[in-house]
Amino acid sequence: MDKRFKVSMFVTSMLPLWITIFLTEIWTIGLSLKENKFHIISSITQNKLEFIVCISVLLVFLLATMQIETFISDKKQSENLPTYTIKHVVRANSLTSEYLLSYILPLMAFDFSSLKDMIIFLIYIIILGWLCISNNNIYINFYLELRKFHIYDCVLEKNMLGQTMLYENCKILSNDNLTGRTGHLINCYSFDTYDYITFKQA
């Protein structure tokens, strides 16, 4: 899978963190503007780090969402997605909350107005991103949750050269409700051996 797409999936999976950082820095900038009687130049001078953080967060997140939207558009139009039969499916309701509690909430403890904390944060987020991307742990995504995609635990079956292949413990991201679709055929794009994305049919 395209590395840029993997990076974009990781970036957008941290949506609650980026919102928190952005609002925190905007609040600091707003207080500075008030103290300086809304003198913009003085506020920028006093809060250079906050302005840089806000702009960086916006740019990185926008680029990541553009990459994901391009990917979704391309795959929706593709006629070469492999076909699988759903043998078992259940919605994985707890994965998103576990991801939020385990990975995102601890990162909110950093002081984003401190250069030292920002450097430590960047080191931590780069290491976390590298681990998630290397291990293909990118199916949990808050941006796609807003786009009505949900995660399902599935067992899939595929016929290859006359042989039936069974894929257990699969994770599927889908904006279609797969619950109760046992026995149905779906077209999926594979992130990795057991991670897939599929789309609601028009």
Side-chain angles (χ1 to χ4, degrees):
M1 181 171 50
D2 192 335
K3 285 286 186 184
R4 292 173 299 174
F5 176 70
K6 286 187 176 184
V7 172
S8 297
M9 285 289 286
F10 173 73
V11 169
T12 52
S13 75
M14 292 286 172
L15 177 59
L17 176 64
W18 307 134
I19 291 174
T20 302
I21 294 173
F22 186 78
L23 292 178
T24 300
E25 303 297 33
I26 287 294
W27 183 267
T28 302
I29 293 168
L31 291 176
S32 177
L33 279 169
K34 187 177 179 181
E35 289 174 2
N36 290 298
K37 298 180 179 179
F38 297 95
H39 193 277
I40 296 175
I41 301 300
S42 298
S43 296
I44 292 175
T45 303
Q46 291 178 10
N47 300 277
K48 290 178 182 177
L49 181 60
E50 285 79 1
F51 273 99
I52 291 171
V53 169
C54 281
I55 293 169
S56 299
V57 166
L58 273 177
L59 285 177
V60 170
F61 188 77
L62 285 174
L63 287 172
T65 54
M66 288 171 61
Q67 174 71 24
I68 288 177
E69 291 300 331
T70 300
F71 168 85
I72 290 175
S73 177
D74 289 346
K75 295 306 173 187
K76 274 186 174 180
Q77 296 172 17
S78 175
E79 297 180 355
N80 300 316
L81 295 180
T83 300
Y84 299 84
T85 303
I86 300 175
K87 304 303 291 182
H88 174 75
V89 59
V90 62
R91 185 165 166 183
N93 292 317
S94 64
L95 287 177
T96 303
S97 57
E98 288 173 2
Y99 187 81
L100 177 65
L101 293 171
S102 300
Y103 296 102
I104 296 178
L105 283 182
L107 292 174
M108 293 181 182
F110 285 94
D111 179 5
F112 297 104
S113 62
S114 164
L115 182 58
K116 183 186 77 172
D117 273 24
M118 282 301 302
I119 292 172
I120 296 172
F121 168 79
L122 285 173
I123 293 170
Y124 189 92
I125 201 78
I126 289 169
I127 293 172
L128 179 61
W130 176 73
L131 288 172
C132 287
I133 292 167
S134 298
N135 294 304
N136 288 299
N137 184 20
I138 56 170
Y139 47 81
I140 299 170
N141 191 287
F142 285 92
Y143 172 70
L144 288 181
E145 287 274 350
L146 292 177
R147 296 272 277 99
K148 305 299 183 183
F149 281 82
H150 301 294
I151 306 169
Y152 296 87
D153 286 317
C154 297
V155 176
L156 300 177
E157 184 181 87
K158 183 180 180 183
N159 291 317
M160 293 182 64
L161 302 175
Q163 292 186 332
T164 300
M165 307 294 292
L166 197 66
Y167 300 90
E168 298 181 334
N169 301 316
C170 299
K171 296 285 188 298
I172 295 183
L173 265 170
S174 177
N175 61 345
D176 197 3
N177 185 5
L178 300 183
T179 306
R181 297 280 295 276
T182 301
H184 286 237
L185 297 176
I186 56 169
N187 296 319
C188 296
Y189 174 81
S190 176
F191 289 171
D192 190 36
T193 308
Y194 296 102
D195 300 329
Y196 305 86
I197 188 167
T198 185
F199 310 102
K200 187 173 184 178
Q201 299 300 312

